[in-house]
Amino acid sequence: MIIGPFVLEIVVTFFIVACLLQKYGNCRKHHILVTANVFIAWYFAFIIICILPLDVSSTAYRQCLRDNFDTTTPYPVVTTEIPTNSSEVSNASSFEQNKSIQNIVDFQGLSFENACQLPWSYVSDEVLQSLWRVVYWTAQTLTWIILPMMQSYSTAGDFTISGKLKTALVENAIYYGSYLLIFGVLLIYVVLQPNSNLDGSHLKVICITASNTWGLFLLVLLEGYGLVEIPRKLWNTTKKGYMLNFLYFKASKVSAERCEAEERIDDLMEEITHISNTTPANHPTRPYVDLILEKLPDERKSVTQLRRSRDDGRFSIDGISVKGLAKLHKQIIRAIHMYRRTQCQWNMLLEQVFHWEDVVANESNREKIFKTSVKTTKSPFLKFIQTPKIEWYWNCMLRNWVYRTLCVVLSVFSAIVVWSELTFFTQSPTLSIFALFIKSAKANYNYILIEKCNKFLPLKDHIYCYDCIFVCVCLLYCVSNKNIKLLLLSPSSSN
């Protein structure tokens, strides 16, 4: 086994994920368990993308051995005869050493040209199987158990660890109860079949198949949105008037959501503030009230105090139970999360609006120097590369042509992906573009074409790699899209 490329992929992926987690997360603020679980989830997701090409090339090599030699032992076999006496080796000259070391090649009835060529990044089957078992079952555990429990635990309003765990278990039990009900109905249908032979091993296979089917369904659903939206967004980005009108419309929508989030959190802050004022210091719920007050955003406290001064006799609450405080605490946690989310969206949207307004204003600049209306902090490296003159040429001249070219290329990639999915189950004749690429590479022992790791190959040799990356980008774009609201990726400094 050639461990160099395999270890390099693992190490490089580790540092890439660490940098991304540092950029989009606040590792110092979050708990170590949260950071560790998120890192493992991201790391294994990237590992699948990076190691899968090595697995494909190694599998192609082993398949070649089975087809030609009916074995998995690599041929031709090279054996080496080395003197066993160490003193002879130390005293012999270099000529005698080279003469004593003989390479005996056993062709097993075949010529060297007909032998299968060992991939430059060959990984043994045992190592890959062990790796995929760890990745698969860890991902299954994180997806179905740990991450949902952590999410419910973080939004639970209880004030004790046991209470938060109980709330998380109840919420996930209700959520997964619907899945178990559907699965139970289908399982009963399978058991009632005449020729069914359901035992423990078959039940395990059915559970794995159901989980994989659900994942593939989400994969196709999310991927389809990105395959269409990314090329369309690239094309629309080249139209400055359209982008400004679109951003203005989007700003009004985000502003309305932001106002609703602010009003919601102000109402809850007003309620908890009044409860705090009516709860004496020796009351059993006083520590819980203080805990809730610590989580309130400081920038909204002045607004809440102003509103309370206008209608101070609105509430008639005299103390509150622990259960009521837990319910209010949960509402405040979710309101704060939505408030910070909309605030982050608003800040990011303002940056985009100001940028496009600057682009329109700088188009008529005869000095060809890009002047911004908002000062942004840049690292010394970016200041050296992204000079005002380069910014002007990029934003006012080159970007439209680059984006249009990318739009055409990615549209072709989208068509290739859709066609390959439609012809996935057609084995003969081979209609999938990707399958044709892999077959051609296997016939010529071009493992680099399969892996797409060599940056100096022609563009046609990178089609498969670029399309795989494009599919992953489509999935991430759909998940992080602001209209779907599944995930919002923003630098930790902007949160």
Side-chain angles (χ1 to χ4, degrees), residues 253-263 339 342-343 346:
K253 181 180 178 181
V254 175
S255 178
E257 295 178 355
R258 178 167 164 263
C259 292
E260 291 179 1
E262 290 178 351
E263 291 178 359
Y339 167 74
T342 54
Q343 191 69 30
W346 177 253

Side-chain angles (χ1 to χ4, degrees), residues 202-265:
H202 288 82
L203 183 61
K204 178 182 177 181
V205 172
I206 291 175
C207 293
I208 294 175
T209 304
S211 175
N212 294 341
T213 303
W214 175 247
L216 289 174
F217 172 75
L218 291 179
L219 177 70
V220 174
L221 184 65
L222 299 177
E223 174 193 344
Y225 178 83
L227 289 175
V228 177
E229 184 62 24
I230 290 180
R232 183 172 62 180
K233 185 176 181 180
L234 286 173
W235 186 265
N236 290 332
T237 305
T238 61
K239 299 182 288 186
K240 299 180 180 62
Y242 170 85
M243 283 301 299
L244 276 176
N245 293 330
F246 174 75
L247 290 175
Y248 290 152
F249 173 78
K250 198 173 183 179
S252 62
K253 181 180 178 181
V254 175
S255 178
E257 295 178 355
R258 178 167 164 263
C259 292
E260 291 179 1
E262 290 178 351
E263 291 178 359
R264 175 61 178 166
I265 198 171

Side-chain angles (χ1 to χ4, degrees), residues 344-358:
C344 181
Q345 288 180 347
W346 177 253
N347 294 334
M348 294 170 62
L349 189 59
L350 285 181
E351 292 179 1
Q352 296 180 23
V353 171
F354 292 149
H355 171 74
W356 281 101
E357 289 179 347
D358 292 338

Side-chain angles (χ1 to χ4, degrees), residues 5 47 114 127 167 190 206 267 275 296 308 416 429 454 482 488-489:
I47 278 290
N114 294 331
V127 174
T167 302
V190 173
I206 291 175
D267 292 339
I275 293 174
L296 300 178
R308 287 189 67 253
I416 293 176
N454 193 336
K482 299 178 180 61
L488 176 62
L489 286 178

